[in-house]
Amino acid sequence: MNLTHLAEPHLQFGESLSYDVYDPVYGLHRLGPFDWTRQRPFNSLSVVAIGPESSQGPLTDFWQKVIDGVARLQYEPKFEGLKGVYRLEDVTTITDSNFVAVDRFQGATEERYIAAIDYSIDNCEFDLLLIVEPQERIYYLHDFLKRVLIAKEIPSQYVELDTLNKARQGSVLNNFAVASYAKAGGLPWQLKYPVITNSCIIGVSFHLLRATSSQEQRTVVGVAEMIDEFGTHLNMAVSTVEVAHEEIRQFRRDLNALYVPSDLMEQLIKNALSRYSHRPDLALPERLIVHKTSAFHEEEISGLQAALEELEADIEYALVHIKEETIHRVYRETDKEAVRGMLLTLRDDFPEAVLWTVGKVPFRYRKDGNWEYYEKSGTKIGTSDPIVVYLDQASRCPDFDLRKAASQVLGLTKMRWNTVELSISLPASIYFARRAGKFVADAMRHSADLSFVGKVDARHFL
């Protein structure tokens, strides 16, 4: 048994410093977003808002706080405003000219929101659409509107009424601003040092639809989220397969978990890598790292191999199983707190380790030529429950060991772009694949229009 500590992953922002930056809040405020000094899709952020007429005033006040920022409040982080933090030339305010009240349209609530969306698209130019929920919350409205907007390829930010009451909280404004910037197409930050070069990571998530009859087949929805070695989101692929009940039962007998036939895994990997096949100027990565929260079955491994063979790609691959539950706990004797980045290896001859992605975050900085140390936990420390990282022995990537697998997982916990929190449990690869998979499965379960499926992207799930 061996307990070590992985260094907090360094992040890269717009400007460079002589020392490394770990904290998104500090990096954004001091250095600006990563794409600020590079090519980015916009220098001025324009928005259109839709919602009930009664929400215009609260939304206007909230959005103005997003633009201008707020002073530090108790334990809340500072926020210097969307315009200042992201180095934007201008950010439009909410006025009568760019607020579309749903009350002016006829029909049921969802019909009025759709009419307002169509009116906005036809009559306004904007980078981001803000949607305020109705006074009487409708549980399905968020997902319904998201399906419509994904199909139209419109970036949007859904605003709950509770959020409008938190305009003085720096953590809320920081999170809202970074998600808005990323959804509009910006690149807030990326990892500074890749764990392994010339590689990409694919997070895979599978979702099983319930059967309506014991005689029917079951539908399995698979999602693959592809991320480059710096943590930037590249592509998302969704595929489905019909599986007989007996096969599902066999899956669970073998592993007590869901795995899928090789043809679905093959299809997912090929679709995820389609970004390279559609771009002759892009070379395929030399290494493929696959993340999954259940054990890898031989069917899935054969599907991965078949996909690489069909693409005629000589790519090494590593299979990383991320387990979300473990009985192991580690606490410091002094304050009974866990420290983010702790890595507990149980056996030297077994490729499995316990990783704490949530906990206190150690920092260091230079002062008068000397290193000073302190700790930060963010506004919400969360639970100290760790995850387990297992490097499957079927992997074929000699340069990628268990410690590198854990370091990569730790780095990807900082690549969600919808929060500036330091302690996040799951890597972005799994987080986005799971969110998209659940979203598509719910749509299929309710017989919704599936025209949006081919256009899903991680930015829609920030």
Side-chain angles (χ1 to χ4, degrees), residues 25 69-79 168-170 376:
V25 174
V70 295
R72 185 186 299 275
L73 180 66
Q74 293 180 346
Y75 298 105
E76 292 286 329
K78 66 179 179 180
F79 180 62
R168 291 292 298 168
Q169 296 184 19
K376 187 172 182 178

Side-chain angles (χ1 to χ4, degrees), residues 10 18-22 363-374:
H10 305 152
S18 59
Y19 57 91
D20 296 308
V21 179
Y22 312 88
F363 277 82
R364 69 173 185 171
Y365 62 97
R366 279 196 177 276
K367 183 178 180 180
D368 300 329
N370 299 317
W371 286 112
E372 299 285 343
Y373 295 86
Y374 75 106

Side-chain angles (χ1 to χ4, degrees), residues 375-410:
E375 289 183 343
K376 187 172 182 178
S377 62
T379 56
K380 292 179 292 186
I381 188 63
T383 177
S384 59
D385 293 351
I387 60 176
V388 176
V389 178
Y390 173 73
L391 184 60
D392 197 287
Q393 295 176 334
S395 301
R396 297 293 179 267
C397 189
D399 295 334
F400 194 72
D401 57 21
L402 179 61
R403 188 178 180 86
K404 288 182 178 179
S407 297
Q408 190 175 74
V409 168
L410 186 67

